[in-house]
Amino acid sequence: TVIDRDGRLPVLVGTKEKCDEMKSNLLAVRLDPLKHDVLVRTFAYDLVVHQLFAISLLTWLQELSLSCSSLQHVMRTILINKPLYARHELEEPDGSEPLLLDQVWSIGNVLWKVSRCEFQSFIMSLMTTDTSQKIGFAEKFMDYYDRIQSQFLADDHEHNMSMASLSVQFFTVPTVAYTLLEDHDAFYTVTSAVVQHLRLAVDKTTDWLHVSTITEFDMSRFSYVIEDIRYLLAHPPLPWTDERREWFMRGFKNIVHIFSWIEGMEGFKRKFNEHVEYEYEWDEGFQLVLNFTSTIRHMLKWIRSDNQLLGQCVQCVSAAVGSRPHLSNFVERVVEARSPKDGVEKPIACQAVGSELWSVDVSVHWPLRRLLGRLLSWR
């Protein structure tokens, strides 16, 4: 339909009274009871004309800029540096007015489909020729990253119609990604967005994630945010410094925090002399962990490239495993281990997590244990 293609469809042009009457009639009709109510609004004719003219103007400027590099430079400078005389509620905390590009990031979910596509196409056409200007766009994007992702998660449009889809244009460029990681704490910012939105599904009593409260629609949208972490860490690790270890650990702790909500969730005790009456739907939680698989693979490459960082990560994950109430039942065990000095196997005493199947809950979700086991294999 026209609505599916363009994002909206004018149904009547007339007086305000006739338009309001038509709006009431449309709201009273639900074509499909399984879908949301139809969104109907009444606009002034002049406003719609200005909107259509603005879209045509964006298209014309984009086509013109392709043959004029000087015009591209002027428009990039205006977007990044030009103050916008906007409403007072859009002012920055220090009282300064936001920039024109700030307004674009802020109102992404208000625009309809065609206008979103034109805005994104326009911005991408300005970024393709100048790496330094792309970094400027990316820095502004990171300033509004949490707001953009919140709008995307609450929106009903596809990912490629959201401003959030521009992340792949920034994070997959090594120069831009390294700048965002070092100067704008991008690893922590992106992982914090995941923590913030998953926190809504965490049971405050058990501190476990209730995946069943997350709809399939929301789960598919979470996967895009998780993909942003993979884009950032897909590049080769940088030479390590204390500052780089600090920002990496801030993001890594967020990942561990998420895994602590998943660790041991949806468990059930083994029954004797009778069949299990009900088995939890574990596939939803498992799918969530699978979304992190490629991200973890890249993250481990960064960790393995530095022994000092590896030690910090082992301590972080070990503390998280020991802090979970259902995993703190440590018991003494004697195991045969090969000495690193002479290579001879000797019995050594160690502490292990007790996992008696007849007394504790059994779960398939153990991301912290698996992550710790992988890290310890490199020690």
Side-chain angles (χ1 to χ4, degrees):
T1 64
V2 178
I3 296 179
D4 293 330
R5 186 183 68 248
D6 298 338
R8 69 178 186 179
L9 172 67
V11 294
L12 178 65
V13 178
T15 63
K16 187 176 186 304
E17 291 75 16
K18 291 184 177 180
C19 291
D20 289 338
E21 181 181 357
M22 176 62 72
K23 176 181 178 180
S24 301
N25 294 335
L26 291 174
L27 290 176
V29 178
R30 296 192 64 177
L31 300 178
D32 189 342
L34 298 179
K35 294 184 178 181
H36 298 292
D37 294 333
V38 177
L39 179 61
V40 185
R41 292 182 179 177
T42 303
F43 290 108
Y45 182 80
D46 294 345
L47 176 60
V48 176
V49 171
H50 278 84
Q51 291 174 342
L52 296 177
F53 173 74
I55 292 178
S56 300
L57 186 59
L58 275 177
T59 304
W60 177 75
L61 286 173
Q62 181 178 341
E63 294 175 352
L64 186 61
S65 65
L66 295 177
S67 58
C68 182
S69 59
S70 299
L71 180 60
Q72 281 191 349
H73 177 74
V74 170
M75 289 191 294
R76 282 195 296 262
T77 303
I78 291 175
L79 272 176
I80 297 179
N81 302 317
K82 177 68 175 178
L84 176 71
Y85 299 97
R87 301 186 302 273
H88 293 294
E89 59 264 26
L90 289 177
E91 289 185 353
E92 300 297 332
D94 59 359
S96 61
E97 291 190 54
L99 303 178
L100 183 58
L101 187 59
D102 297 337
Q103 178 77 332
V104 174
W105 299 140
S106 302
I107 63 173
N109 65 329
V110 179
L111 305 175
W112 64 101
K113 183 180 292 186
V114 171
S115 58
R116 294 185 189 199
C117 292
E118 290 297 333
F119 257 122
Q120 292 182 44
S121 179
F122 178 69
I123 291 175
M124 290 173 61
S125 67
L126 297 180
M127 295 187 308
T128 54
T129 57
D130 193 329
T131 304
S132 62
Q133 292 290 347
K134 177 176 276 194
I135 292 176
F137 277 101
E139 290 173 338
K140 288 297 180 181
F141 180 81
M142 287 308 304
D143 291 340
Y144 283 85
Y145 183 85
D146 185 63
R147 181 186 299 186
I148 292 172
Q149 293 297 347
S150 298
Q151 292 174 351
F152 168 64
L153 293 172
D155 200 6
D156 59 348
H157 283 297
E158 296 296 331
H159 183 254
N160 60 348
M161 297 298 169
S162 170
M163 291 294 177
S165 63
L166 292 174
S167 61
V168 68
Q169 302 294 329
F170 302 130
F171 297 163
T172 55
V173 180
T175 305
V176 179
Y178 290 144
T179 301
L180 296 179
L181 286 170
E182 294 207 69
D183 299 338
H184 295 271
D185 212 358
F187 188 24
Y188 174 78
T189 301
V190 177
T191 54
S192 294
V194 181
V195 170
Q196 177 182 346
H197 296 295
L198 285 181
R199 192 188 302 275
L200 302 176
V202 175
D203 189 303
K204 296 182 179 179
T205 304
T206 63
D207 203 29
W208 273 325
L209 185 67
H210 280 194
V211 186
S212 58
T213 62
I214 305 176
T215 65
E216 183 179 353
F217 177 78
D218 290 335
M219 186 71 73
S220 64
R221 301 210 153 210
F222 280 132
S223 64
Y224 288 108
V225 188
I226 298 171
E227 278 288 285
D228 286 347
I229 308 175
R230 181 177 70 85
Y231 294 145
L232 282 171
L233 301 182
H235 312 290
L238 294 165
W240 288 104
T241 63
D242 291 340
E243 291 77 11
R244 287 169 180 166
R245 293 187 187 96
E246 288 179 5
W247 60 249
F248 185 91
M249 286 303 302
R250 284 195 293 269
F252 181 77
K253 288 178 181 178
N254 276 338
I255 297 293
V256 172
H257 196 177
I258 296 170
F259 285 174
S260 68
W261 291 335
I262 303 174
E263 186 82 357
M265 71 178 185
E266 298 179 345
F268 58 93
K269 289 185 178 180
R270 180 181 178 184
K271 291 188 175 182
F272 293 90
N273 302 325
E274 60 180 308
H275 293 289
V276 176
E277 298 176 359
Y278 175 77
E279 182 176 348
Y280 284 99
E281 296 290 340
W282 53 265
D283 54 329
E284 294 178 348
F286 201 74
Q287 183 62 42
L288 177 62
V289 177
L290 285 179
N291 288 334
F292 282 95
T293 302
S294 58
T295 299
I296 295 173
R297 187 180 302 114
H298 291 296
M299 187 175 63
L300 290 176
K301 290 180 181 179
W302 284 63
I303 296 174
R304 193 175 187 181
S305 65
D306 183 68
N307 289 330
Q308 182 176 342
L309 179 66
L310 175 60
Q312 294 176 6
C313 292
V314 169
Q315 293 178 1
C316 178
V317 180
S318 299
V321 171
S323 65
R324 299 297 290 173
H326 59 293
L327 297 177
S328 58
N329 54 330
F330 289 102
V331 294
E332 292 291 336
R333 290 284 189 269
V334 178
V335 297
E336 294 288 334
R338 189 179 300 275
S339 174
K341 295 181 179 180
D342 51 18
V344 179
E345 289 192 355
K346 301 177 181 179
I348 61 172
C350 65
Q351 284 189 327
V353 178
S355 297
E356 292 81 4
L357 297 181
W358 57 86
S359 62
V360 298
D361 289 345
V362 179
S363 172
V364 299
H365 307 297
W366 303 107
L368 281 180
R369 291 187 183 185
R370 296 188 178 100
L371 179 59
L372 181 60
R374 186 57 175 167
L375 295 176
L376 290 176
S377 69
W378 295 334
R379 291 287 287 173

PDB file of all heavy atoms in Angstrom, residues 40-64:
ATOM      1  N   VAL A  40      -3.903   8.525  12.996  1.00  0.00           N
ATOM      2  CA  VAL A  40      -4.490   9.526  12.115  1.00  0.00           C
ATOM      3  C   VAL A  40      -4.262  10.902  12.719  1.00  0.00           C
ATOM      4  O   VAL A  40      -4.523  11.120  13.908  1.00  0.00           O
ATOM      5  CB  VAL A  40      -6.005   9.297  11.918  1.00  0.00           C
ATOM      6  CG1 VAL A  40      -6.562  10.281  10.892  1.00  0.00           C
ATOM      7  CG2 VAL A  40      -6.286   7.872  11.496  1.00  0.00           C
ATOM      8  N   ARG A  41      -3.778  11.807  11.913  1.00  0.00           N
ATOM      9  CA  ARG A  41      -3.529  13.169  12.374  1.00  0.00           C
ATOM     10  C   ARG A  41      -4.056  14.185  11.362  1.00  0.00           C
ATOM     11  O   ARG A  41      -4.103  13.904  10.161  1.00  0.00           O
ATOM     12  CB  ARG A  41      -2.031  13.406  12.601  1.00  0.00           C
ATOM     13  CG  ARG A  41      -1.452  12.619  13.764  1.00  0.00           C
ATOM     14  CD  ARG A  41       0.018  12.931  13.961  1.00  0.00           C
ATOM     15  NE  ARG A  41       0.572  12.192  15.087  1.00  0.00           N
ATOM     16  CZ  ARG A  41       1.850  12.244  15.448  1.00  0.00           C
ATOM     17  NH1 ARG A  41       2.702  12.983  14.747  1.00  0.00           N
ATOM     18  NH2 ARG A  41       2.276  11.554  16.486  1.00  0.00           N
ATOM     19  N   THR A  42      -4.408  15.345  11.901  1.00  0.00           N
ATOM     20  CA  THR A  42      -4.873  16.443  11.054  1.00  0.00           C
ATOM     21  C   THR A  42      -3.786  17.507  10.988  1.00  0.00           C
ATOM     22  O   THR A  42      -3.339  18.008  12.035  1.00  0.00           O
ATOM     23  CB  THR A  42      -6.163  17.057  11.622  1.00  0.00           C
ATOM     24  OG1 THR A  42      -7.159  16.043  11.745  1.00  0.00           O
ATOM     25  CG2 THR A  42      -6.679  18.165  10.713  1.00  0.00           C
ATOM     26  N   PHE A  43      -3.336  17.841   9.779  1.00  0.00           N
ATOM     27  CA  PHE A  43      -2.290  18.838   9.580  1.00  0.00           C
ATOM     28  C   PHE A  43      -2.839  20.016   8.787  1.00  0.00           C
ATOM     29  O   PHE A  43      -3.735  19.858   7.940  1.00  0.00           O
ATOM     30  CB  PHE A  43      -1.097  18.234   8.805  1.00  0.00           C
ATOM     31  CG  PHE A  43      -0.303  17.243   9.590  1.00  0.00           C
ATOM     32  CD1 PHE A  43      -0.365  15.891   9.289  1.00  0.00           C
ATOM     33  CD2 PHE A  43       0.514  17.658  10.627  1.00  0.00           C
ATOM     34  CE1 PHE A  43       0.370  14.972  10.003  1.00  0.00           C
ATOM     35  CE2 PHE A  43       1.254  16.741  11.348  1.00  0.00           C
ATOM     36  CZ  PHE A  43       1.183  15.399  11.041  1.00  0.00           C
ATOM     37  N   ALA A  44      -2.262  21.168   9.058  1.00  0.00           N
ATOM     38  CA  ALA A  44      -2.553  22.335   8.234  1.00  0.00           C
ATOM     39  C   ALA A  44      -1.986  22.119   6.831  1.00  0.00           C
ATOM     40  O   ALA A  44      -0.909  21.543   6.668  1.00  0.00           O
ATOM     41  CB  ALA A  44      -1.975  23.597   8.868  1.00  0.00           C
ATOM     42  N   TYR A  45      -2.702  22.581   5.832  1.00  0.00           N
ATOM     43  CA  TYR A  45      -2.291  22.377   4.446  1.00  0.00           C
ATOM     44  C   TYR A  45      -0.916  22.993   4.189  1.00  0.00           C
ATOM     45  O   TYR A  45      -0.086  22.397   3.493  1.00  0.00           O
ATOM     46  CB  TYR A  45      -3.339  22.996   3.516  1.00  0.00           C
ATOM     47  CG  TYR A  45      -3.042  22.813   2.050  1.00  0.00           C
ATOM     48  CD1 TYR A  45      -3.334  21.608   1.413  1.00  0.00           C
ATOM     49  CD2 TYR A  45      -2.471  23.831   1.296  1.00  0.00           C
ATOM     50  CE1 TYR A  45      -3.059  21.420   0.061  1.00  0.00           C
ATOM     51  CE2 TYR A  45      -2.191  23.656  -0.049  1.00  0.00           C
ATOM     52  CZ  TYR A  45      -2.485  22.444  -0.657  1.00  0.00           C
ATOM     53  OH  TYR A  45      -2.198  22.268  -1.988  1.00  0.00           O
ATOM     54  N   ASP A  46      -0.673  24.176   4.755  1.00  0.00           N
ATOM     55  CA  ASP A  46       0.609  24.844   4.551  1.00  0.00           C
ATOM     56  C   ASP A  46       1.772  24.010   5.088  1.00  0.00           C
ATOM     57  O   ASP A  46       2.851  23.971   4.496  1.00  0.00           O
ATOM     58  CB  ASP A  46       0.605  26.221   5.225  1.00  0.00           C
ATOM     59  CG  ASP A  46      -0.374  27.185   4.569  1.00  0.00           C
ATOM     60  OD1 ASP A  46      -0.815  26.882   3.441  1.00  0.00           O
ATOM     61  OD2 ASP A  46      -0.703  28.216   5.185  1.00  0.00           O
ATOM     62  N   LEU A  47       1.547  23.355   6.215  1.00  0.00           N
ATOM     63  CA  LEU A  47       2.610  22.535   6.806  1.00  0.00           C
ATOM     64  C   LEU A  47       2.966  21.360   5.903  1.00  0.00           C
ATOM     65  O   LEU A  47       4.144  21.061   5.687  1.00  0.00           O
ATOM     66  CB  LEU A  47       2.165  22.027   8.179  1.00  0.00           C
ATOM     67  CG  LEU A  47       3.123  21.066   8.898  1.00  0.00           C
ATOM     68  CD1 LEU A  47       4.467  21.738   9.146  1.00  0.00           C
ATOM     69  CD2 LEU A  47       2.521  20.564  10.197  1.00  0.00           C
ATOM     70  N   VAL A  48       1.967  20.688   5.356  1.00  0.00           N
ATOM     71  CA  VAL A  48       2.216  19.556   4.473  1.00  0.00           C
ATOM     72  C   VAL A  48       2.961  20.007   3.225  1.00  0.00           C
ATOM     73  O   VAL A  48       3.885  19.328   2.742  1.00  0.00           O
ATOM     74  CB  VAL A  48       0.893  18.862   4.100  1.00  0.00           C
ATOM     75  CG1 VAL A  48       1.140  17.736   3.101  1.00  0.00           C
ATOM     76  CG2 VAL A  48       0.206  18.322   5.345  1.00  0.00           C
ATOM     77  N   VAL A  49       2.589  21.156   2.693  1.00  0.00           N
ATOM     78  CA  VAL A  49       3.267  21.683   1.511  1.00  0.00           C
ATOM     79  C   VAL A  49       4.737  21.950   1.815  1.00  0.00           C
ATOM     80  O   VAL A  49       5.631  21.620   1.028  1.00  0.00           O
ATOM     81  CB  VAL A  49       2.564  22.954   1.006  1.00  0.00           C
ATOM     82  CG1 VAL A  49       3.388  23.629  -0.088  1.00  0.00           C
ATOM     83  CG2 VAL A  49       1.179  22.627   0.495  1.00  0.00           C
ATOM     84  N   HIS A  50       5.014  22.536   2.981  1.00  0.00           N
ATOM     85  CA  HIS A  50       6.404  22.795   3.367  1.00  0.00           C
ATOM     86  C   HIS A  50       7.178  21.490   3.533  1.00  0.00           C
ATOM     87  O   HIS A  50       8.357  21.402   3.168  1.00  0.00           O
ATOM     88  CB  HIS A  50       6.450  23.602   4.671  1.00  0.00           C
ATOM     89  CG  HIS A  50       6.263  25.076   4.476  1.00  0.00           C
ATOM     90  ND1 HIS A  50       5.025  25.666   4.378  1.00  0.00           N
ATOM     91  CD2 HIS A  50       7.170  26.075   4.336  1.00  0.00           C
ATOM     92  CE1 HIS A  50       5.168  26.969   4.207  1.00  0.00           C
ATOM     93  NE2 HIS A  50       6.462  27.249   4.181  1.00  0.00           N
ATOM     94  N   GLN A  51       6.539  20.464   4.081  1.00  0.00           N
ATOM     95  CA  GLN A  51       7.212  19.187   4.254  1.00  0.00           C
ATOM     96  C   GLN A  51       7.574  18.555   2.910  1.00  0.00           C
ATOM     97  O   GLN A  51       8.691  18.066   2.712  1.00  0.00           O
ATOM     98  CB  GLN A  51       6.314  18.236   5.055  1.00  0.00           C
ATOM     99  CG  GLN A  51       6.138  18.636   6.510  1.00  0.00           C
ATOM    100  CD  GLN A  51       5.138  17.748   7.218  1.00  0.00           C
ATOM    101  OE1 GLN A  51       4.336  17.052   6.592  1.00  0.00           O
ATOM    102  NE2 GLN A  51       5.160  17.777   8.545  1.00  0.00           N
ATOM    103  N   LEU A  52       6.636  18.574   1.971  1.00  0.00           N
ATOM    104  CA  LEU A  52       6.901  18.011   0.647  1.00  0.00           C
ATOM    105  C   LEU A  52       7.985  18.805  -0.085  1.00  0.00           C
ATOM    106  O   LEU A  52       8.828  18.229  -0.782  1.00  0.00           O
ATOM    107  CB  LEU A  52       5.609  18.000  -0.176  1.00  0.00           C
ATOM    108  CG  LEU A  52       4.482  17.108   0.362  1.00  0.00           C
ATOM    109  CD1 LEU A  52       3.240  17.250  -0.512  1.00  0.00           C
ATOM    110  CD2 LEU A  52       4.925  15.658   0.431  1.00  0.00           C
ATOM    111  N   PHE A  53       7.968  20.115   0.106  1.00  0.00           N
ATOM    112  CA  PHE A  53       8.998  20.933  -0.516  1.00  0.00           C
ATOM    113  C   PHE A  53      10.372  20.634   0.085  1.00  0.00           C
ATOM    114  O   PHE A  53      11.380  20.581  -0.625  1.00  0.00           O
ATOM    115  CB  PHE A  53       8.664  22.424  -0.345  1.00  0.00           C
ATOM    116  CG  PHE A  53       9.761  23.338  -0.801  1.00  0.00           C
ATOM    117  CD1 PHE A  53      10.008  23.537  -2.154  1.00  0.00           C
ATOM    118  CD2 PHE A  53      10.567  24.001   0.121  1.00  0.00           C
ATOM    119  CE1 PHE A  53      11.021  24.378  -2.584  1.00  0.00           C
ATOM    120  CE2 PHE A  53      11.581  24.843  -0.302  1.00  0.00           C
ATOM    121  CZ  PHE A  53      11.814  25.033  -1.656  1.00  0.00           C
ATOM    122  N   ALA A  54      10.413  20.422   1.404  1.00  0.00           N
ATOM    123  CA  ALA A  54      11.685  20.112   2.067  1.00  0.00           C
ATOM    124  C   ALA A  54      12.270  18.802   1.557  1.00  0.00           C
ATOM    125  O   ALA A  54      13.490  18.690   1.354  1.00  0.00           O
ATOM    126  CB  ALA A  54      11.476  20.049   3.581  1.00  0.00           C
ATOM    127  N   ILE A  55      11.430  17.795   1.326  1.00  0.00           N
ATOM    128  CA  ILE A  55      11.918  16.523   0.794  1.00  0.00           C
ATOM    129  C   ILE A  55      12.468  16.709  -0.614  1.00  0.00           C
ATOM    130  O   ILE A  55      13.541  16.189  -0.963  1.00  0.00           O
ATOM    131  CB  ILE A  55      10.792  15.483   0.808  1.00  0.00           C
ATOM    132  CG1 ILE A  55      10.442  15.118   2.248  1.00  0.00           C
ATOM    133  CG2 ILE A  55      11.189  14.229   0.041  1.00  0.00           C
ATOM    134  CD1 ILE A  55       9.319  14.128   2.373  1.00  0.00           C
ATOM    135  N   SER A  56      11.762  17.447  -1.437  1.00  0.00           N
ATOM    136  CA  SER A  56      12.241  17.713  -2.795  1.00  0.00           C
ATOM    137  C   SER A  56      13.552  18.486  -2.771  1.00  0.00           C
ATOM    138  O   SER A  56      14.463  18.234  -3.571  1.00  0.00           O
ATOM    139  CB  SER A  56      11.189  18.486  -3.584  1.00  0.00           C
ATOM    140  OG  SER A  56       9.977  17.771  -3.673  1.00  0.00           O
ATOM    141  N   LEU A  57      13.672  19.412  -1.827  1.00  0.00           N
ATOM    142  CA  LEU A  57      14.894  20.199  -1.710  1.00  0.00           C
ATOM    143  C   LEU A  57      16.073  19.333  -1.278  1.00  0.00           C
ATOM    144  O   LEU A  57      17.192  19.486  -1.788  1.00  0.00           O
ATOM    145  CB  LEU A  57      14.682  21.335  -0.705  1.00  0.00           C
ATOM    146  CG  LEU A  57      15.811  22.358  -0.558  1.00  0.00           C
ATOM    147  CD1 LEU A  57      16.087  23.043  -1.892  1.00  0.00           C
ATOM    148  CD2 LEU A  57      15.474  23.389   0.509  1.00  0.00           C
ATOM    149  N   LEU A  58      15.842  18.388  -0.350  1.00  0.00           N
ATOM    150  CA  LEU A  58      16.907  17.475   0.070  1.00  0.00           C
ATOM    151  C   LEU A  58      17.387  16.629  -1.103  1.00  0.00           C
ATOM    152  O   LEU A  58      18.594  16.427  -1.294  1.00  0.00           O
ATOM    153  CB  LEU A  58      16.403  16.570   1.198  1.00  0.00           C
ATOM    154  CG  LEU A  58      16.468  17.096   2.623  1.00  0.00           C
ATOM    155  CD1 LEU A  58      15.851  16.081   3.586  1.00  0.00           C
ATOM    156  CD2 LEU A  58      17.893  17.402   3.030  1.00  0.00           C
ATOM    157  N   THR A  59      16.439  16.121  -1.878  1.00  0.00           N
ATOM    158  CA  THR A  59      16.802  15.315  -3.047  1.00  0.00           C
ATOM    159  C   THR A  59      17.617  16.131  -4.049  1.00  0.00           C
ATOM    160  O   THR A  59      18.623  15.660  -4.598  1.00  0.00           O
ATOM    161  CB  THR A  59      15.539  14.772  -3.718  1.00  0.00           C
ATOM    162  OG1 THR A  59      14.765  14.040  -2.759  1.00  0.00           O
ATOM    163  CG2 THR A  59      15.896  13.862  -4.881  1.00  0.00           C
ATOM    164  N   TRP A  60      17.207  17.354  -4.281  1.00  0.00           N
ATOM    165  CA  TRP A  60      17.912  18.223  -5.236  1.00  0.00           C
ATOM    166  C   TRP A  60      19.321  18.559  -4.753  1.00  0.00           C
ATOM    167  O   TRP A  60      20.281  18.515  -5.510  1.00  0.00           O
ATOM    168  CB  TRP A  60      17.103  19.498  -5.447  1.00  0.00           C
ATOM    169  CG  TRP A  60      17.771  20.489  -6.363  1.00  0.00           C
ATOM    170  CD1 TRP A  60      17.886  20.424  -7.721  1.00  0.00           C
ATOM    171  CD2 TRP A  60      18.435  21.690  -5.951  1.00  0.00           C
ATOM    172  NE1 TRP A  60      18.576  21.505  -8.203  1.00  0.00           N
ATOM    173  CE2 TRP A  60      18.929  22.310  -7.131  1.00  0.00           C
ATOM    174  CE3 TRP A  60      18.655  22.309  -4.729  1.00  0.00           C
ATOM    175  CZ2 TRP A  60      19.634  23.506  -7.100  1.00  0.00           C
ATOM    176  CZ3 TRP A  60      19.345  23.510  -4.694  1.00  0.00           C
ATOM    177  CH2 TRP A  60      19.829  24.096  -5.872  1.00  0.00           C
ATOM    178  N   LEU A  61      19.461  18.871  -3.435  1.00  0.00           N
ATOM    179  CA  LEU A  61      20.778  19.181  -2.884  1.00  0.00           C
ATOM    180  C   LEU A  61      21.703  17.977  -2.953  1.00  0.00           C
ATOM    181  O   LEU A  61      22.904  18.113  -3.232  1.00  0.00           O
ATOM    182  CB  LEU A  61      20.637  19.653  -1.431  1.00  0.00           C
ATOM    183  CG  LEU A  61      20.085  21.056  -1.206  1.00  0.00           C
ATOM    184  CD1 LEU A  61      19.850  21.305   0.276  1.00  0.00           C
ATOM    185  CD2 LEU A  61      21.042  22.107  -1.770  1.00  0.00           C
ATOM    186  N   GLN A  62      21.163  16.789  -2.711  1.00  0.00           N
ATOM    187  CA  GLN A  62      21.993  15.591  -2.771  1.00  0.00           C
ATOM    188  C   GLN A  62      22.502  15.346  -4.185  1.00  0.00           C
ATOM    189  O   GLN A  62      23.682  15.028  -4.385  1.00  0.00           O
ATOM    190  CB  GLN A  62      21.182  14.392  -2.282  1.00  0.00           C
ATOM    191  CG  GLN A  62      21.964  13.090  -2.277  1.00  0.00           C
ATOM    192  CD  GLN A  62      21.136  11.944  -1.744  1.00  0.00           C
ATOM    193  OE1 GLN A  62      20.132  12.155  -1.070  1.00  0.00           O
ATOM    194  NE2 GLN A  62      21.547  10.730  -2.042  1.00  0.00           N
ATOM    195  N   GLU A  63      21.635  15.483  -5.177  1.00  0.00           N
ATOM    196  CA  GLU A  63      22.052  15.288  -6.570  1.00  0.00           C
ATOM    197  C   GLU A  63      23.061  16.350  -7.002  1.00  0.00           C
ATOM    198  O   GLU A  63      24.029  16.048  -7.710  1.00  0.00           O
ATOM    199  CB  GLU A  63      20.824  15.320  -7.477  1.00  0.00           C
ATOM    200  CG  GLU A  63      19.863  14.157  -7.250  1.00  0.00           C
ATOM    201  CD  GLU A  63      18.606  14.288  -8.081  1.00  0.00           C
ATOM    202  OE1 GLU A  63      18.434  15.364  -8.714  1.00  0.00           O
ATOM    203  OE2 GLU A  63      17.791  13.344  -8.099  1.00  0.00           O
ATOM    204  N   LEU A  64      22.855  17.588  -6.545  1.00  0.00           N
ATOM    205  CA  LEU A  64      23.756  18.664  -6.918  1.00  0.00           C
ATOM    206  C   LEU A  64      25.128  18.502  -6.270  1.00  0.00           C
ATOM    207  O   LEU A  64      26.161  18.778  -6.889  1.00  0.00           O
ATOM    208  CB  LEU A  64      23.148  20.013  -6.526  1.00  0.00           C
ATOM    209  CG  LEU A  64      23.901  21.278  -6.964  1.00  0.00           C
ATOM    210  CD1 LEU A  64      24.008  21.348  -8.477  1.00  0.00           C
ATOM    211  CD2 LEU A  64      23.224  22.521  -6.405  1.00  0.00           C
TER     212      LEU A  64
END
